[in-house]
Every structure is written in structure tokens, then in C-alpha cells.
Amino acid sequence: MITIIGPSPSRVRLSRLSAAFGGTVLAAATILTTAVGSAAADVVTDTIPVPEGPSEIAITPDGAHAYVTQQHSDSVSVIATATNTVIDTISWGDSPNGVAITPDGAHVYYTNMIRDSVSVIDTSTNKVIADVPVGGSPPAVAITPNGALAYVTNSSDDEVLVIDTATNTVATTVPVGQVPFELAITPDGAFAYVANMVGDSVSVIDIATNTVVTAVPVGDQPVGVAITPDGALAYVTHQGDDSVSVIDTSTNTVATTFPVGGRPTSVAITPDGALAYITNFDDESVSVIDTSTNTVATTIAVGDRPSGVAITPNGTHAYVTNWFENTVSVIEVGIPASITGAPAAGVVGEVYEHLFEVTGTPAPAVAVTAGDLPEGLTLSEQGVLSGSPTVAGTYEFTVTASNGIGDDAVLEITVDVTAQTDPGTGSLGSLLESLAGS
């Protein structure tokens, strides 16, 4: 590794870019503090110390490890998510920033903003096996769903480079808008959406032809972008006006724009598409967006200058890098309630029990919200319908599971309760009576 004494041309260039990029590579100025609340589930459950300047983070497809780029220590840390501890640190590169992992989990690609390259880690050994020159102070990288290509933004050159991951060579270059920053690829691998920070636009690249098919005007200083799992929407953060735009990918027009915290930077969306987590660099917080309404569901206090965010593949936790605090916050993700299970019929006087299958984080509370339970039965908050029916009939009622995350889960139920068969009636009863008489 080469030690640079004094400001090299690359360092001077990065300094200029830092002033534009704000949260991601800019040393903190005045810290603004905002009092925030938190929902029952969306709370920080762990804080992990890492080397200096944690910027971006990516999680392996199996959810076992998180890779964190650290700008100030020129390194990448590996976190074991089972224990939330750093198990390895790779010291390679110069001001590493963007990071992405191949769909098979075999390789990690990360950008070096001063080295002007993309390094490749073999996850089986956690060793750097390639370093691809790309130029242009690259802040971000994204990999196609088939793992064949890595797309890299070159902020100084106003372009996106395409790396062939089979050979780790640059296959082509795509001109985009001014100062491209983060980018995201649609789940079907058809398009890449690139946030152009100075251009106040999002370039849409057709991956089949590697040409820009349109540029979508958005808010002031767009930096972060993420796409919903169904590919229908792209969420774009604007550091200049503290807002988020939602692009309808079918028309490539902005469907709505809403406010969040101070200098929103990165965005990640839960695997079910229900929630978007946005880091607010100036507010030491994360905004949680209900994507069904595009409103802030809750705000979570995290560490100093939160920058990157990633969500585990099972959707249970969000990992947030705190750039100025040298930590990673672990957030327990709120999961909307669900309830399933059709109860069987009951018999008067016989013991009855049915357990509804209830999921969600935090644990949902179950209640009857319409109609009446069969007489003699009760329903617990945990979803257990039990007791002994006392009156025959057909009972219709509504069971609702709620935990304050997203919409309540509602189940319409019909339970038939029959009278107990009288052993003294019918053919068997007549036979018994005749035998008793004889």
C-alpha cells in the first residue's frame, strides 16, 4: 500500500467531491439533533464497533455476514450477523465506499474513491482477488440479478462503467447525468436507475443495450436509490431538500414526493416491499416509510451521521453505518401482522381448542372485532380459541391481529357448533332399551 504524504491530486479532487456529496464523504460540520420517537419493534438492539469511517454496507444472500466499507481506515470489515461481531477486516484500497455482493454470495465488489478502482473479495477466504481500474472517483456499485455484470458510477466523469464479472474487466461505458452517485438495478435485471446528484435527475439505463432511455427529473441533490422487490417503484433520496421521490418505473415519472429527516442519504427496502428504511445524515436517525401510504411510520434514533443501510434477506433486521461514530447500529425491523387458520366445528359440552397461526414483529395482539364467538369459547391475545361450547348454532365473527406495523391482518371466521348426540335415541338407543327390558 502506498502512503501519501500531503494532498495528492486525487485527494484534492475527493475533497471537492466531498463538499458536493455531503453525508457520504464529507467530514461532519454542525451536528443537528432531533428528538425522535420509536415504534415497539423498530428499535436499535445492538451497536457494533468498527474501524474509522464506516460508509456503506451489504449483506450476503444467506444473511450470515455483513460487509462494511470504512473510508478513513481504508478497509472492509466482515460482521457475523449471528453474534453481531467483527470477525475479519480486509485492509485494501483507498477510501472504499460503495459495496455489493454477487447473488451466489461468492464475491464482494467495493469501490475505492481515491484509488479509482473496484476491488473484488473472495468471500471464502476474505482476500482481495482483483482490482479493476475504473476512474472517476467511483462512489457506488450494483450487480445484476444474474451476477454477470457490475455497474459502477464514476462521479467525476459523469458516466457508469460496466464490469464483466467473469473476467473482471470493463466491458463498456455509459454516459449519464452530472455527478452520478448511487444506483440500483431492477429485480428482472432489465434496467439500472442512477441518481445524478448535481443533475437533479435519475438516469434509466437499458441493460440490454447499455444506453440511457430516459432521465427522470427529481428533487434537489439525489444521492440514494432503491427499487421495490416487485420492480414497480424506485425510491430516491434528496440531500438538498430533505425529501424522497417515488418513481413509477412503468412510466418513469415521479408518483409522489414526501419529506423525511435531515440530508437523507441511503435507502433500503424490506423483502416484502412493505417498508423503506432511510438514513438521515444530519439527524442521527432513520426514517421508516410505509410504502403503502408513502408516509413516515416511525423515526429511529441511531448513531452519529448515519450513512449506509442494508436489510437482512429474511427482513428481520436493518444494519446502519454510523459514519462519524465508527459503529454499525442493528435495528429490529417491524414486520406487519398476519393471521391464518380455519377453525373446525365444535360440539356442545366437548372441550374445544384452535390455535390461529399468527406472525409479525412485534408479536401481534389478536382480538374479535366483529360478530360473536360461540357461547362458552374465549379468544386469547395470542390467538388461542378455547373452551367448551354451550349452545349449538352457526357463529360468524371477525378476528383481527395487529401490532402497529402496516395494516392489521383480518380473518373472517364461521364456526358450526352442533348439539351433543343423545345415546338414548336412535336405533342404537332402541336396541339398548329392548335389551334392558328383556
Side-chain angles (χ1 to χ4, degrees):
M1 206 165 193
I2 300 173
T3 302
I4 300 174
I5 301 174
S8 70
S10 294
R11 289 283 181 188
V12 172
R13 180 181 63 193
L14 182 61
S15 176
R16 294 195 187 108
L17 288 172
S18 297
F21 291 157
T24 305
V25 293
L26 175 62
T30 303
I31 297 177
L32 305 179
T33 304
T34 302
V36 294
S38 183
D42 284 310
V43 294
V44 174
T45 57
D46 209 346
T47 302
I48 308 166
V50 293
E52 286 186 297
S55 180
E56 297 296 327
I57 185 168
I59 299 173
T60 53
D62 62 4
H65 298 98
Y67 284 74
V68 183
T69 53
Q70 285 112 201
Q71 286 185 355
H72 291 171
S73 58
D74 297 335
S75 63
V76 176
S77 287
V78 186
I79 294 172
T81 57
T83 59
N84 284 331
T85 55
V86 174
I87 60 170
D88 205 350
T89 300
I90 302 109
S91 297
W92 177 269
D94 205 347
S95 194
N97 190 65
V99 59
I101 301 174
T102 54
D104 61 5
H107 298 99
V108 175
Y109 284 68
Y110 67 94
T111 64
N112 298 295
M113 291 193 67
I114 292 178
R115 193 185 186 93
D116 294 345
S117 69
V118 172
S119 297
V120 184
I121 297 171
D122 182 334
T123 58
S124 66
T125 61
N126 281 331
K127 304 294 183 185
V128 173
I129 59 170
D131 194 59
V132 185
V134 293
S137 298
V141 56
I143 298 172
T144 53
N146 63 5
L149 302 171
Y151 280 67
V152 182
T153 50
N154 283 351
S155 56
S156 294
D157 298 336
D158 300 340
E159 63 187 14
V160 170
L161 270 68
V162 184
I163 295 174
D164 182 335
T165 58
T167 60
N168 284 323
T169 57
V170 175
T172 191
T173 302
V174 184
V176 289
Q178 287 183 276
V179 190
F181 202 58
E182 291 188 9
L183 73 167
I185 296 172
T186 54
D188 61 3
F191 298 97
Y193 282 70
V194 184
N196 302 307
M197 184 174 183
V198 174
D200 295 344
S201 67
V202 172
S203 296
V204 183
I205 298 173
D206 183 333
I207 287 177
T209 61
N210 280 319
T211 56
V212 173
V213 294
T214 190
V216 184
V218 289
D220 189 10
Q221 297 180 13
V223 291
V225 58
I227 298 171
T228 53
D230 62 4
L233 302 170
Y235 282 71
V236 182
T237 61
H238 314 131
Q239 285 198 340
D241 57 17
D242 301 340
S243 69
V244 173
S245 285
V246 183
I247 296 173
D248 182 335
T249 60
S250 65
T251 60
N252 283 324
T253 57
V254 173
T256 188
T257 301
F258 54 88
V260 286
R263 273 209 294 176
T265 302
S266 292
V267 55
I269 299 172
T270 53
D272 62 3
L275 301 169
Y277 283 67
I278 294 167
T279 55
N280 300 312
F281 190 76
D282 276 354
D283 289 351
E284 300 177 6
S285 69
V286 171
S287 294
V288 183
I289 309 304
D290 181 338
T291 58
S292 66
T293 60
N294 284 321
T295 56
V296 177
T298 190
T299 305
I300 309 163
V302 289
D304 198 349
R305 300 286 165 162
S307 179
V309 58
I311 296 172
T312 53
N314 63 3
T316 60
H317 292 86
Y319 283 69
V320 177
T321 58
N322 301 307
W323 187 75
F324 206 62
E325 190 178 87
N326 304 327
T327 61
V328 172
S329 295
V330 184
I331 298 170
E332 184 179 7
V333 171
I335 300 174
S338 71
I339 183 168
T340 57
V347 178
V348 170
E350 294 187 3
V351 175
Y352 184 94
E353 182 173 287
H354 172 78
L355 176 64
F356 290 101
E357 185 175 346
V358 182
T359 61
T361 302
V366 180
V368 175
T369 53
D372 295 309
L373 292 175
E375 292 189 36
L377 298 188
T378 60
L379 179 66
S380 72
E381 282 194 358
Q382 292 73 38
V384 180
L385 180 64
S386 62
S388 296
T390 58
V391 179
T394 297
Y395 296 84
E396 297 180 350
F397 54 96
T398 302
V399 175
T400 300
S402 58
N403 64 355
I405 306 296
D407 295 331
D408 293 343
V410 178
L411 198 60
E412 303 293 338
I413 301 296
T414 300
V415 173
D416 290 322
V417 176
T418 58
Q420 193 172 41
T421 303
D422 185 355
T425 61
S427 59
L428 179 58
S430 299
L431 177 61
L432 291 174
E433 286 179 0
S434 63
L435 290 174
S438 63

